[in-house]
Amino acid sequence: EVVLTQSPATLSLSPGERATLSCRASQDVSSYLGWYQQRPGQAPRLLIYDASNRATGIPARFSGSGSGTDFTLTISSLEPEDFAVYYCQQRINWPRTFGRGTRVEIK
Amino acid sequence: QVVESGGDLVQPGGSLRLSCAASGFPFNNHWMSWVRQAPGKGPEWVANIKKDGSEVNYLDSVRGRFTISRDNAKNSLFLQMNSLRADDTAVYYCVKGGGIGDVWGQGTTVTVSS
């Protein structure tokens, strides 16, 4: 099973600041990694698939990079609605696995 | 979109069948999945099923107890859950896709407790 380790666990930032979230895989997942946003009381929402592709309707301030075992989600300038929990997830093999999440909170 | 139903409070050892009604996309052209999320935890991919139902995959902890199925004529996905345990308590989401979850329902809550 691929274990995904996200860091930091919590990121405290102000609106307008840049957020950089990390996800490290326990083995090579090529580019088969996605990022999801989850707001309280809502289902996860796909932001990025296959490391760097924005999903439909996702604003350009969200970008993903990386391959192999190290990945990054960047939010270039935080909007109020971006304060949420973010999960990475791999699809190279079964079982699909998620990281434990990074909470982006208002400083 | 996808809409789940069937969640409930059930005793340990009991059974439950979840349903998911899909619309707005060609259901029979897509893998489908169930993903669950226990209270305060991250999501967990429970099972997925190929477009024609010919291939299924299960999380180890549910294999032999849960069965995923689909009815392409009715644009519906199902999850039959038997021998339920307390650690199956979660919100269960119906998800379009077998590895990329690009459409999620609002979830249905399963609580296993005596």
Side-chain angles (χ1 to χ4, degrees):
Chain A
E1 174 174 317
V2 177
V3 176
L4 299 176
T5 302
Q6 292 188 242
S7 61
T10 303
L11 200 52
S12 298
L13 295 168
S14 301
E17 287 194 296
R18 182 184 189 89
T20 303
L21 288 67
S22 174
C23 178
R24 176 163 291 179
S26 61
Q27 62 191 71
D28 188 344
V29 299
S30 184
S31 294
Y32 297 120
L33 187 111
W35 291 92
Y36 298 81
Q37 176 193 68
Q38 188 173 32
R39 296 172 177 145
Q42 295 186 15
R45 176 175 72 141
L46 179 69
L47 299 175
I48 301 288
Y49 65 94
D50 293 348
S52 61
N53 298 286
R54 270 190 304 277
T56 303
I58 300 304
R61 65 180 180 273
F62 292 93
S63 63
S65 63
S67 66
T69 61
D70 289 295
F71 299 86
T72 301
L73 174 70
T74 301
I75 311 171
S76 60
S77 178
L78 284 164
E79 297 287 339
E81 62 267 28
D82 299 338
F83 291 92
V85 180
Y86 293 83
Y87 296 98
C88 58
Q89 175 248 322
Q90 62 81 21
R91 68 176 186 99
I92 196 170
N93 60 20
W94 187 264
R96 312 303 191 212
T97 50
F98 290 86
R100 299 183 71 171
T102 291
R103 178 179 305 275
V104 178
E105 64 176 26
I106 299 177
K107 186 173 181 180
Chain B
Q1 66 168 5
V2 293
V3 179
E4 307 91 338
S5 61
D8 205 346
L9 170 64
V10 61
Q11 292 189 340
S15 297
L16 212 53
R17 180 175 169 87
L18 305 183
S19 299
C20 169
S23 61
F25 64 93
F27 183 74
N28 59 358
N29 282 358
H30 294 277
W31 282 71
M32 295 294 294
S33 299
W34 289 98
V35 177
R36 69 184 179 184
Q37 190 168 25
K41 304 291 187 181
E44 186 175 51
W45 211 291
V46 173
N48 66 10
I49 185 168
K50 198 173 180 178
K51 307 171 190 181
D52 61 357
S54 62
E55 183 179 338
V56 297
N57 295 289
Y58 296 100
L59 192 63
D60 280 352
S61 61
V62 309
R63 188 176 292 113
R65 300 188 298 122
F66 290 12
T67 302
I68 188 171
S69 62
R70 63 192 298 162
D71 183 340
N72 285 346
K74 296 183 178 180
N75 290 349
S76 295
L77 179 73
F78 306 99
L79 187 67
Q80 177 67 43
M81 303 187 294
N82 299 330
S83 304
L84 282 161
R85 312 187 305 217
D87 62 358
D88 295 318
T89 294
V91 176
Y92 285 72
Y93 295 101
C94 172
V95 177
K96 171 177 165 281
I100 299 174
D102 63 344
V103 177
W104 295 60
Q106 84 290 347
T108 189
T109 301
V110 173
T111 303
V112 184
S113 174
S114 54

